């Protein structure tokens, strides 16, 4: 009791002796493991994996040299062995090495109760076994099944108290698992909470018809711990957690620019995409997001770099076929082993299973780039939160490895900035390309705009692009007056401009001609004047000066 | 299992055809265990006229047998014969419940 009081104060985490669980990701959250020689209570609903938690604590402990006792009130040792085998654990071998004992505590259904009783049998059996095998760990699974035998809360509490006293004296690192009642904590759960040094809650809930699993450490006497809810999954090998708080500080810096596969886009981005960046393509259906991503994929694979394409919308065959019409041959890259597809329906499993599957593939395939098509489909993994967690963890995993991530976000219509950035992950996104339609009379044209690009100067002008059978072709922006113009409007405006220029040229020419005409007229007038002057001179020399005016004029007009 | 088979053999050697074969698991001399021992002795006398084999297993001495019989709660009375095998938990103070589980009628009226 004394040592327990000493550890009540916070901040002694480093000093507290811990028993590692060796469960993937869990020891990070527990800052080393469960409290050694003390009691941990794991509560959770049906199917949350409590039994597995306990069994893995013992199995991995046994593999690391700490013998353990498993007392099960719900499952037979044979069932446990079979379940463990599906996860690849060989319990029988460690049992033969006397490092694990599975004790069957199931109470037969035909059992009759008559009078008072206690769990002293359990304590005697556990004590004896502990001595025999020098056990360091114990798991009592589904303890609530045994507790239900006691008909008053008082006797139940007495039994728990006796159990707790015994566990403390035995010095075993203990895990007690209890099923959480549907309608909230029952009387014994509250008691558990007060006696446990460490309290872990496992929760398998169904969001949008998809099971998501969360683990939370509710308290840990004398130690610090991760306080969030952590998604976990049950996969080959056992439980697996993704502690997000322990990642994020190991992100690799952005690397050099790489060509996008479209030279004009490279110019817009100040040289192309940055290696290790997160690039988001947002746009309405049909704007060419997948094609834009595939253009890069083909480029990268052409350089011999590996790309993992995580698809939620279309099959591999459909994907390959769709971009083939735009001149992209992804099949060759698949055959060469440069391109790998991971295609699943979002609804097929929970977000954490999607995450672990993706990370498993990333670890095995070691891609330089990952495409997620489309993040808008991730909500179907079980809601907004599930989608957010999946993406955050996936992005973290990729950023740690310096993998470039391309996220495709299909917008539903509204084009608010929040929706474009997608799933509140915008802080993780380095570059956003926004693809949209520019409605024009009689047609709709595609335009591309760089919304944001960290760490590189970029153009913020909207560029029109067209999809040809040789891929995406970006046009020079129309840089005349007024709005960006696309398609026919742009052509019409350009024609108008051309005509205007011609009109002006004609105008000048016309004015020059006019000027010339005037000059000629002036010249003619001057010549006429000169002729008249000459005639006058002639007349003055042949007629008398007195009749000069009248005689001279009548002669001229005749 | 060896230990179990061995002990059963002993019982059969003592008395080849007992009407009931019972095994009572107790934990030392704690109150419920003491009570159960006394109750079982009385019931055997009153209803079976001693025609029963009773083995007492003290789990504090012999936890191996408790493991074998999956006994985590004491006292536990296991009816090994006649079949089917049944368990009765507790100090056996609820006489009616014990008699019903053993398939016996009250006050010496045998079935």
């Amino acid at each position: 009791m004394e040592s327990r009081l000493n550890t009540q104060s916070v901040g002694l985490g480093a000093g507290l002796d811990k028993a590692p669980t060796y469960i993937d990701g869990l020891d990070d959250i527990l800052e080393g493991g469960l409290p050694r020689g003390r009691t941990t209570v794991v509560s959770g609903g049906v199917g949350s994996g409590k039994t597995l938690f306990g069994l893995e604590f013992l199995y991995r402990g046994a593999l690391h040299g700490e013998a353990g006792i498993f007392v099960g009130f719900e499952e037979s040792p044979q069932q446990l062995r079979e379940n463990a085998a599906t996860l690849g654990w060989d319990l029988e071998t460690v049992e033969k090495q006397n490092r694990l004992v599975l004790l069957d505590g199931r109470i037969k259904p035909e059992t009759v109760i008559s009078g008072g009783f206690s769990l002293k049998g359990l304590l005697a059996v556990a004590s004896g076994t502990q001595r025999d095998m020098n056990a360091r760990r114990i798991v009592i699974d589904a303890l609530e099944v045994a507790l239900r035998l006691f008909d008053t809360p008082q006797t139940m509490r007495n039994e728990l108290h006796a159990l707790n006293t015994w566990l403390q004296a035995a010095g075993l690192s203990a895990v007690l698992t209890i099923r959480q009642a549907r309608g909230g904590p029952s009387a014994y759960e509250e008691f558990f909470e007060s006696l446990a040094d460490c309290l872990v809650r496992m929760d398998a809930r169904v969001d949008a018809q998809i099971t998501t699993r969360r683990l939370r450490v509710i308290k840990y006497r004398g130690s610090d711990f991760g306080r969030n809810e952590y998604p976990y999954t049950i996969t080959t090998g056992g439980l697996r957690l993704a502690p997000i708080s322990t990642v994020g500080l190991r992100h690799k810096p952005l690397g050099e620019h790489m060509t996008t596969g479209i030279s004009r886009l490279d110019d817009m981005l100040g040289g192309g995409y940055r290696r290790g960046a997160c690039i988001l393509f947002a746009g309405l259906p049909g704007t060419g997001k997948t094609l834009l991503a595939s253009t890069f994929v083909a480029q990268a694979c052409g350089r011999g770099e590996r790309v993992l394409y995580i698809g939620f919308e279309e099959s591999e065959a459909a994907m390959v076929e769709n971009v083939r019409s735009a001149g992209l041959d992804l099949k060759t890259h698949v055959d060469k082993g440069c391109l790998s597809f991971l295609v699943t329906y979002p609804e097929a499993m929970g977000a954490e299973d999607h995450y672990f599957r993706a990370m498993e593939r990333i670890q095995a395939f070691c891609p330089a780039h990952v495409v997620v098509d489309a993040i808008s489909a991730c909500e179907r993994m079980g809601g907004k939160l599930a989608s957010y967690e999946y993406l955050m963890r996936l992005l973290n995993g990729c950023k740690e490895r310096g993998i470039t991530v391309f996220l495709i976000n299909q917008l539903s219509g509204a084009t608010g900035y929040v929706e474009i950035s997608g799933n509140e992950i915008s802080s993780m996104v380095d570059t956003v390309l926004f693809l949209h339609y520019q409605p024009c009379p009689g047609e709709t044209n595609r335009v591309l705009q760089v919304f944001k690009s960290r760490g590189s100067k970029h153009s913020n002008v909207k560029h029109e692009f067209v999809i040809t059978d040789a891929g995406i072709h970006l046009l020079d922006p129309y840089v005349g007056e007024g709005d960006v113009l696309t398609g026919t409007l742009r052509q019409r405006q350009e024609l108008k401009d051309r005509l205007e220029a011609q009109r002006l040229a004609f105008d000048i020419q016309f004015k020059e001609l006019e000027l010339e005409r005037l000059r000629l007229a002036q010249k003619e007038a001057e010549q006429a004047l000169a002729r008249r002057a000459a005639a006058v001179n002639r007349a003055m020399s042949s007629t008398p000066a007195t009749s000069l005016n009248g005689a001279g004029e009548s002669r001229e007009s005749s | 299992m060896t230990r179990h088979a061995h002990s059963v053999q002993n019982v059969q050697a003592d008395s080849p055809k007992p009407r009931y074969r019972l095994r009572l698991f107790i934990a030392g001399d704690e109150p419920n265990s003491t009570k159960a021992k006394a109750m079982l002795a009385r019931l055997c006398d009153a209803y079976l006229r001693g025609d029963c084999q009773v083995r007492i297993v003290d789990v504090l001495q012999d936890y191996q047998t408790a493991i074998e019989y999956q006994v985590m709660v004491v006292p536990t009375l296991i009816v090994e014969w006649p079949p089917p095998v049944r368990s009765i938990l507790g100090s056996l103070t609820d006489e009616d419940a014990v008699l019903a589980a053993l398939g016996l009628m009250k006050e010496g009226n045998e079935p």
Side-chain angles (χ1 to χ4, degrees):
Chain A
M1 284 306 280
E2 263 176 47
S3 62
R4 175 174 287 209
L5 286 172
N6 286 341
T7 53
Q8 287 282 354
S9 59
V10 187
L12 298 174
L16 190 72
D17 197 9
K18 307 239 174 144
T21 62
Y22 306 107
I23 292 172
D24 202 353
L26 183 59
D27 291 337
D28 286 341
I29 296 164
L30 297 168
E31 311 237 325
L34 298 176
R36 191 180 290 283
R38 289 161 193 243
T39 303
T40 298
V41 170
V42 178
S43 72
V46 182
S48 59
K50 306 179 295 295
T51 304
L52 212 63
F53 181 110
L55 203 53
E56 187 159 8
F57 176 63
L58 294 185
Y59 175 67
R60 304 237 173 260
L63 294 180
H64 287 83
E66 284 199 13
I69 304 164
F70 187 98
V71 185
F73 284 104
E74 212 161 43
E75 285 170 88
S76 73
Q78 196 46 39
Q79 280 174 306
L80 291 168
R81 285 182 201 111
E82 283 166 12
N83 293 346
T86 65
L87 302 168
W89 306 345
D90 180 8
L91 296 191
E92 273 157 284
T93 301
V94 285
E95 282 181 271
K96 276 181 199 131
Q97 292 165 343
N98 209 24
R99 288 178 175 185
L100 177 67
V101 165
L102 302 176
L103 299 178
D104 194 345
R106 287 174 304 157
I107 289 145
K108 293 175 193 69
E110 64 274 21
T111 297
V112 174
I113 293 176
S114 164
F117 53 88
S118 72
L119 289 174
K120 286 197 173 65
L122 165 67
L123 305 188
V125 162
S127 296
T129 310
Q130 184 194 1
R131 274 196 309 275
D132 276 4
M133 65 188 304
N134 190 25
R136 308 289 307 279
R137 300 181 174 203
I138 187 167
V139 170
I140 301 175
D141 187 44
L143 185 56
E144 85 284 349
V145 173
L147 293 178
R148 273 204 293 268
L149 295 170
F150 298 96
D151 51 3
T152 71
Q154 189 53 46
T155 51
M156 197 163 67
R157 271 201 291 276
N158 288 346
E159 284 311 302
L160 273 174
H161 189 71
L163 175 63
N164 192 39
T165 307
W166 176 79
L167 285 169
Q168 280 179 2
L172 291 162
S173 308
V175 170
L176 312 181
T177 78
I178 50 166
R179 177 181 298 174
Q180 202 182 355
R182 218 170 275 263
S186 58
Y188 59 80
E189 273 184 82
E190 280 168 25
F191 189 71
F192 269 126
E193 289 181 11
S194 64
L195 73 81
D197 286 292
C198 178
L199 193 60
V200 176
R201 186 152 293 157
M202 294 172 84
D203 179 16
R205 66 185 89 134
V206 178
D207 286 336
Q209 283 121 46
I210 290 163
T211 304
T212 55
R213 296 187 167 99
R214 299 274 183 283
L215 180 146
R216 190 157 77 91
V217 181
I218 292 167
K219 78 165 189 186
Y220 197 151
R221 282 191 186 130
S223 170
D224 216 348
F225 57 92
R227 277 153 213 276
N228 296 331
E229 277 197 318
Y230 302 96
Y232 65 94
T233 186
I234 297 162
T235 176
T236 320
L239 288 177
R240 197 179 279 185
L241 287 98
I244 201 161
S245 60
T246 65
V247 299
L249 301 171
R250 302 193 288 256
H251 288 179
K252 297 224 168 112
L254 298 185
E256 82 273 10
H257 287 279
M258 320 170 271
T259 179
T260 61
I262 304 161
S263 62
R264 277 219 169 99
L265 183 56
D266 291 349
D267 295 342
M268 285 171 73
L269 290 167
Y273 307 129
R274 299 281 300 268
R275 205 173 275 277
C278 173
I279 297 126
L280 180 76
F281 300 151
L284 290 168
T287 42
K289 302 176 297 296
T290 298
L291 187 60
L292 190 58
S294 302
T295 305
F296 173 79
V297 169
Q299 273 285 327
C301 290
R303 291 195 297 268
E305 293 172 6
R306 287 188 174 176
V307 181
L308 174 64
Y309 202 106
I310 300 174
F312 296 117
E313 313 256 298
E314 282 178 307
S315 71
E316 175 178 342
M319 254 292 305
V320 169
E321 182 55 32
N322 288 350
V323 299
R324 206 169 60 91
S325 58
L328 292 174
D329 178 16
L330 295 182
K331 180 88 172 56
T332 314
H333 301 305
V334 172
D335 294 344
K336 270 194 314 185
C338 280
L339 177 59
S340 175
F341 282 85
L342 179 63
V343 180
T344 23
Y345 282 110
E347 295 88 348
M349 54 187 110
E352 55 282 342
D353 285 324
H354 275 289
Y355 165 73
F356 289 114
R357 257 171 62 104
M359 288 316 288
E360 259 168 35
R361 182 67 80 85
I362 286 169
Q363 266 155 22
F365 185 62
C366 298
H369 318 287
V370 170
V371 182
V372 183
D373 187 4
I375 63 169
S376 33
C378 294
E379 274 190 27
R380 279 149 56 203
M381 290 175 187
K384 267 195 187 326
L385 184 68
S387 151
Y388 167 76
E389 286 180 344
Y390 167 78
L391 289 169
M392 277 306 263
R393 286 180 166 79
L394 185 65
L395 283 176
N396 266 314
C398 289
K399 288 216 161 189
E400 270 179 25
R401 290 167 175 80
I403 298 171
T404 325
V405 185
F406 294 86
L407 302 176
I408 291 172
N409 190 14
Q410 179 146 309
L411 305 179
S412 52
T415 51
Y417 186 73
V418 174
E419 204 208 348
I420 292 166
S421 318
N423 304 66
E424 289 144 347
I425 49 159
S426 57
S427 64
M428 299 282 286
V429 175
D430 300 297
T431 299
V432 179
L433 297 188
F434 181 39
L435 288 77
H436 59 134
Y437 294 114
Q438 185 95 356
C440 301
E443 63 180 15
T444 302
N445 301 297
R446 294 181 170 95
V447 291
L448 183 153
Q449 191 181 7
V450 182
F451 250 53
K452 125 174 178 187
S453 194
R454 271 185 198 150
S456 28
K457 60 182 171 104
H458 57 274
S459 158
N460 52 9
V461 174
K462 288 183 190 172
H463 287 248
E464 182 183 4
F465 69 95
V466 288
I467 296 171
T468 68
D469 54 8
I472 290 178
H473 180 59
L474 234 67
L475 307 175
D476 272 337
Y478 169 77
V479 288
E481 279 177 63
D483 274 338
V484 168
L485 297 172
T486 60
T488 312
L489 265 188
R490 168 201 181 106
Q491 286 166 17
R492 198 201 288 162
Q493 183 63 44
E494 280 172 357
L495 182 66
K496 219 196 255 173
D497 289 355
R498 240 183 353 263
L499 286 173
E500 177 67 11
Q502 275 175 8
R503 196 181 63 77
L504 286 172
F506 277 133
D507 227 29
I508 292 166
Q509 222 177 342
F510 179 77
K511 295 236 154 81
E512 278 169 355
L513 285 171
E514 179 72 8
L515 196 64
E516 186 63 27
R517 194 182 62 78
L518 287 171
R519 253 190 236 117
L520 285 172
Q522 193 187 5
K523 213 169 164 185
E524 219 167 280
E526 279 167 6
Q527 282 170 354
L529 199 63
R531 273 198 307 276
R532 192 170 161 188
V536 169
N537 284 342
R538 272 196 312 275
M540 281 189 59
S541 56
S542 59
T543 51
T546 47
S547 62
L548 179 78
N549 283 339
E553 271 181 27
S554 61
R555 239 190 327 260
E556 276 288 304
S557 60
S558 60
Chain B
M1 287 308 283
T2 12
R3 185 185 280 264
H4 171 44
H6 181 69
S7 53
V8 169
Q9 226 168 25
N10 276 351
V11 171
Q12 283 170 340
D14 291 347
S15 167
K17 282 179 184 172
R19 192 172 155 206
Y20 278 88
R21 209 159 69 226
L22 308 170
R23 194 176 286 260
L24 179 66
F25 290 82
I26 54 150
D29 53 5
E30 56 99 26
N32 283 329
S33 295
T34 313
K35 219 182 281 176
K37 272 197 286 189
M39 280 302 293
L40 185 59
R42 205 182 76 74
L43 291 172
C44 278
D45 268 0
Y47 298 96
L48 301 168
R49 296 188 192 89
D51 189 9
C52 61
Q53 300 292 322
V54 178
R55 283 197 74 90
I56 309 276
V57 180
D58 183 353
V59 296
L60 301 181
Q61 308 294 321
D62 180 8
Y63 72 91
Q64 295 280 5
T65 305
I67 292 176
E68 226 168 80
Y69 283 82
Q70 301 172 28
V71 171
M72 300 292 159
V73 171
V74 287
T76 292
L77 177 68
I78 294 180
V79 183
E80 294 184 86
W81 183 266
V85 176
R86 285 144 287 168
S87 303
I88 304 163
L89 304 187
S91 54
L92 308 178
T93 39
D94 181 350
E95 203 175 292
D96 290 350
V98 179
L99 291 177
L102 289 170
L104 293 170
M105 304 286 266
K106 197 135 169 88
E107 292 305 329
N109 299 326
E110 289 168 33

